[in-house]
Amino acid sequence: VKDQGRNGYLFFDSEMEQRSLERILLEYELKKAIELEQFYMDYQPKVDLSTGCLVGMEALVRWKHPELGRIAPNKFIPVAEDTGLIVPLGEWIMRRGCEQAVEWQRAGYPPVKLSINLSVRQLFEPDLLPQIKAVLKDTGLEPQWLEFEVTESVFADLEDASIILQQIRALGIHISMDDFGTGYSSFSYLQHLPIDTLKIDPSFVRDIHLKKESQAIVKGILSIAETLNLNVIAEGIETIEQLTVLSEDGCSQGQGYLFSRPLSSQQFENYLQQMQCN
Ligand code: C2E
Ligand code: CA
Ligand code: CA
Ligand code: CA
């Protein structure tokens, strides 16, 4: 936040100045990037932990700027959210992802669910529902193959979020709670939200084989999920040690570098071709 200087001038310390300049630049470039379609999608496999077979894929947006190079989502998504640019960008992401999923289904690969990240800003956009319906109709993707990942930030407006998520779910689309356990969520909120899946945050997976506390949290999530009849997936699995503990604790699905990094469309198609399961 800006400080009011001694003479009434606003002054910024240099770090703030740097940050806000970067932000202004990003905002400007982001607007252009949406018009110029400088984005593409990567897809990361989600697997069954006991068989290693593919059970889903998460679409992750990528920005390749002609001069600045690759810009990480953690950098530009927050800017897109603050400026509202996430709304047109999010619509493009949804459309591109669904088109791709249909393309793979029509090519004869066994269908798996496509997960799309949905910002809270998109969720509260009045146009969201018609947008989703249009994308499904235009691409021909059946809603059972679509899932939205939302974060615990939806808890901030529990009632409205619950209504909107209910409408999305009525279309036959699944809802997954991303980064579960990190936000200001209370387990009791879960009963009030129409949710199908909990996605265990990587921070609990990272040291699950080393720290009793992390394992206890994961066990807690697995047990509440069982009670509420929710699906669970662990995110950020990088090592066999983590996988072993998760499997022993009864977690059935996972995602992470141990299985695969996010893949380009071409790489993902190769992955589908080499897949031994169906
Ligand atoms: P997220 O939704 O929690 O996505 C998971 C992130 O973890 C991805 O980073 C993924 O590449 C990374 N990841 C997956 N497995 C591993 C692993 O084993 N180890 C480690 N260290 N990382 C792993 P990415 O693609 O950089 O995305 C970062 C965040 O940006 C996402 O977090 C999400 O919040 C946002 N984001 C990315 N794509 C989209 C999108 O299409 N729409 C929206 N609204 N947000 C997006
Ligand atoms: Ca996600
Ligand atoms: Ca996550
Ligand atoms: Ca996140």
Side-chain angles (χ1 to χ4, degrees):
V1 190
K2 295 164 222 160
D3 273 345
Q4 198 77 30
R6 225 171 302 144
N7 310 316
Y9 291 107
L10 293 174
F11 77 88
F12 299 84
D13 64 43
S14 64
E15 195 198 330
M16 276 168 70
E17 194 169 72
Q18 194 57 44
R19 225 184 298 143
S20 61
L21 270 178
E22 188 181 281
R23 223 183 150 80
I24 290 162
L25 177 73
L26 265 185
E27 188 178 329
Y28 172 75
E29 290 296 334
L30 205 51
K31 257 186 215 141
K32 277 203 309 191
I34 292 172
E35 282 159 29
L36 298 173
E37 294 207 24
Q38 291 169 357
F39 300 96
Y40 62 95
M41 304 305 294
D42 273 357
Y43 300 86
Q44 189 179 30
K46 296 184 179 188
V47 304
D48 180 309
L49 292 184
S50 54
T51 62
C53 291
L54 186 73
V55 293
M57 54 182 171
E58 178 174 5
L60 295 158
V61 70
R62 300 291 179 248
W63 180 12
K64 188 151 184 250
H65 188 280
E67 287 106 42
L68 302 173
R70 277 172 224 280
I71 302 168
N74 281 334
K75 245 193 171 150
F76 72 83
I77 292 287
V79 179
E81 286 170 344
D82 287 352
T83 55
L85 289 168
I86 192 67
V87 176
L89 176 59
E91 185 178 9
W92 182 87
I93 289 169
M94 213 190 300
R95 194 168 281 276
R96 185 68 207 104
C98 292
E99 275 169 7
Q100 182 63 81
V102 168
E103 201 181 304
W104 283 329
Q105 287 189 11
R106 295 206 171 130
Y109 298 112
V112 290
K113 207 170 278 164
L114 167 76
S115 301
I116 304 264
N117 290 287
L118 202 65
S119 292
V120 69
R121 180 86 185 241
Q122 287 174 274
L123 194 68
F124 292 123
E125 185 62 31
D127 226 26
L128 179 68
L129 218 59
Q131 219 177 68
I132 297 171
K133 286 183 190 163
V135 167
L136 289 176
K137 184 163 171 281
D138 297 346
T139 61
L141 186 71
E142 293 169 272
Q144 71 189 102
W145 300 116
L146 184 58
E147 174 179 83
F148 287 120
E149 296 189 2
V150 298
T151 61
E152 289 169 302
S153 52
V154 301
F155 286 134
D157 194 345
L158 194 59
E159 254 170 70
D160 288 344
S162 162
I163 292 169
I164 298 160
L165 291 176
Q166 202 68 257
Q167 292 170 330
I168 293 176
R169 216 156 166 240
L171 297 176
I173 297 167
H174 279 214
I175 309 289
S176 177
M177 182 60 68
D178 207 350
D179 308 341
F180 186 71
T182 55
Y184 38 103
S185 75
S186 145
F187 279 4
S188 67
Y189 281 164
L190 281 178
Q191 308 172 55
H192 305 295
L193 280 179
I195 287 191
D196 303 283
T197 299
L198 300 179
K199 221 175 162 182
I200 301 178
D201 191 73
S203 58
F204 306 116
V205 173
R206 194 168 304 129
D207 49 10
I208 190 171
H209 53 304
L210 304 171
K211 270 174 73 182
K212 282 272 160 276
E213 293 87 344
S214 295
Q215 193 183 6
I217 290 168
V218 168
K219 279 184 167 169
I221 295 174
L222 287 164
S223 124
I224 197 100
E226 190 168 10
T227 310
L228 298 177
N229 209 5
L230 301 173
N231 183 32
V232 179
I233 179 162
E235 196 177 7
I237 306 176
E238 295 184 352
T239 69
I240 300 275
E241 287 80 6
Q242 294 164 343
L243 169 63
T244 306
V245 179
L246 282 164
S247 301
E248 281 169 7
D249 288 347
C251 183
S252 60
Q253 297 186 345
Q255 181 181 354
Y257 294 169
L258 178 64
F259 310 106
S260 171
R261 294 193 168 247
L263 305 171
S264 69
S265 288
Q266 187 53 59
Q267 290 170 323
F268 198 90
E269 190 159 346
N270 295 342
Y271 174 97
L272 288 171
Q273 273 164 13
Q274 285 155 21
M275 218 168 46
Q276 300 295 322
C277 327
N278 53 357

